[in-house]
Amino acid sequence: MTPTADPLVHTYSIVARDPATGQLGVAVESHYFAVGTVVTWAEAGVGAVASQAMADPAYGKLGLDLMRARKSAPDALAGLLAADPMREVRQVAMVDPLGRVAAHTGSSTIPEAGHIVGDGFSVQANMMLKNMVWPAMAEAYRSAKGDLVDRFLAALDAAEAEGGDIRGRQSAAILIVNAKSTGRPWIDTIFDLRVDDAPEPLVEIRRLVAVRRAFIHMRLGNEAAGRGDLEAAEREFTAAERLIGDNLEMRYWHGIALLGLGKIDDGLAILREVGSRDRNWIELTLRLPSTLFGSDASLKDRVAKLLG
C-alpha cells in the first residue's frame, strides 16, 4: 500500500456479523457525498469492512481478499496497517465469518474519534461533534431487536441523536450479505442501499429498507406461487403490499400470481383495482407471455374487458 490522494471520509459506521443468521454487513452515515462508494465493503461468506477518515478503499478490497484466503479479521487488518505508512490517519474496522473483529483508529484521526469492539461487531467514528457517538452506537446495537438491518438502523439513529458528524449529514449506506456464498453475488446480497445526497439520509435509507423488504417478499411470493403454495403466496404478497405503500407493483403481481394459481376471479378483482388507477398495467397484462393464460381461452378476453 502506498500513499495516495485519499478521500476525506470523516464519518461514523458499524460492521457486524449477526450471530443468529451469520449475515455480514456494514452501515455508515456522513457529511460526504456518496459515502457508500468508499466506506462499505462486504462479501458473503468472507467478511465486511469499513474504511474511513482519510479513507483508502484498498483496505476494503484487500481486507476481503485476505479474509477470503482464511485470514482472520485481526490478522488481515494488522497486515494491511503494517504496510501502510499513512495508517495514523486511517480508521478501519473488519469482521470475518466467525465473528472475529478488528478495528483501528489512527492517532492523527480528527477528533472526536474512537471505536468500540464488541461481540461480533465494531462501531467507529471520527470528526464527531461529541465523543459519545460511538458508545451510543454500541449500546443501541446491543439492545436493539430484529434483523441485522434493524439493529444497524438503531445504531445509526443513536449516533445522530448524539450529534453525529460535526459538519451535519449528507449521505448514508447499508450493505448486508448472506452468511455463505452461492457464487452469485446478486443472490447473496440482501441489502445494498445508498442515499448519496439528502437533507435527512437516515430517514431516506429507512424508507429504502422498507422498499427493499417489499421486493424480497414479492420474490418469495412469486416463488411460492411457482410451486403452487397459495397460502404462502398470499402471505408474502400481503407483506409486500403493506411495506410498499402507494406503489402498484406488488399489488399487480399479486393479481398475476393468483391468475397463475387458478384463482381467476380473485386475480381479476385485483387487476381491476390496479387498472382503475393506471390502465397501463392492464395493457401490460395483455402483453405478457400467453402461457399465463393457460388453457382458459377466455381469460385473455376477460382481462381485455378491464380496459373498458
Side-chain angles (χ1 to χ4, degrees):
M1 300 171 70
T2 58
T4 59
D6 298 317
L8 301 174
V9 189
H10 302 287
T11 184
Y12 59 80
S13 68
I14 178 170
V15 299
R17 175 188 178 272
D18 188 329
T21 65
Q23 292 175 359
L24 298 155
V26 52
V28 62
E29 198 273 354
S30 178
H31 190 287
Y32 182 86
F33 177 68
V35 68
T37 63
V38 178
V39 173
T40 56
W41 300 79
E43 183 177 332
V46 173
V49 182
S51 176
Q52 57 198 51
M54 187 171 285
D56 183 354
Y59 276 91
K61 169 64 168 61
L62 297 177
L64 292 177
D65 287 347
L66 290 168
M67 289 189 285
R68 194 183 307 109
R70 304 299 177 86
K71 293 284 188 182
S72 70
D75 287 347
L77 181 55
L80 294 176
L81 289 171
D84 183 6
M86 297 183 67
R87 55 186 169 272
E88 296 309 325
V89 295
R90 312 292 191 202
Q91 190 171 53
V92 187
M94 299 182 182
V95 61
D96 65 31
L98 298 181
R100 295 169 296 191
V101 184
H104 165 78
T105 299
S107 60
S108 297
T109 302
I110 298 174
E112 301 286 345
H115 65 263
I116 293 174
V117 171
D119 184 9
F121 77 93
S122 176
V123 293
Q124 44 284 325
N126 63 93
M127 200 186 276
M128 295 293 104
L129 181 63
K130 297 185 294 184
N131 64 7
M132 288 306 297
V133 169
W134 55 99
M137 293 178 72
E139 178 58 30
Y141 178 77
R142 289 189 184 106
S143 60
K145 306 298 182 183
D147 297 335
L148 184 59
V149 69
D150 298 308
R151 300 174 72 189
F152 276 177
L153 289 170
L156 297 181
D157 286 342
E160 201 59 38
E162 289 292 337
D165 188 325
I166 196 170
R167 301 163 299 173
R169 61 196 71 84
Q170 183 174 6
S171 66
I174 294 176
L175 177 58
I176 297 176
V177 296
N178 277 320
K180 296 181 179 179
S181 173
T182 65
R184 297 174 293 171
W186 55 95
I187 298 294
D188 297 336
T189 301
I190 305 168
F191 291 92
D192 186 3
L193 305 175
R194 296 176 181 176
V195 177
D196 289 343
D197 183 39
E200 296 291 344
L202 297 188
V203 173
E204 178 61 9
I205 207 160
R206 189 175 288 276
R207 184 187 71 82
L208 294 179
V209 166
V211 173
R212 172 59 180 157
R213 277 178 157 154
F215 275 87
I216 291 172
H217 282 295
M218 185 178 74
R219 174 178 58 79
L220 294 173
N222 282 324
E223 291 175 358
R227 62 177 183 267
D229 188 340
L230 175 62
E231 182 179 351
E234 289 277 34
R235 181 175 62 250
E236 297 295 346
F237 277 111
T238 298
E241 291 159 24
R242 183 176 63 250
L243 288 164
I244 204 65
D246 289 336
N247 190 321
L248 293 174
E249 188 88 18
M250 311 302 161
R251 190 67 173 153
Y252 172 76
W253 292 112
H254 187 176
I256 295 298
L258 289 176
L259 293 183
L261 287 166
K263 304 289 288 184
I264 304 302
D265 289 341
D266 291 341
L268 288 174
I270 291 178
L271 293 184
R272 185 178 299 107
E273 170 196 330
V274 171
S276 69
R277 297 175 62 185
D278 187 340
R279 291 163 54 89
N280 285 349
W281 290 98
I282 305 303
E283 183 61 41
L284 169 61
T285 309
L286 297 174
R287 299 181 186 186
L288 293 178
S290 58
T291 52
L292 166 70
F293 302 102
S295 59
D296 186 349
S298 67
L299 180 54
K300 190 170 186 177
D301 290 337
R302 293 177 69 182
V303 172
K305 288 180 180 178
L306 297 178
L307 288 171

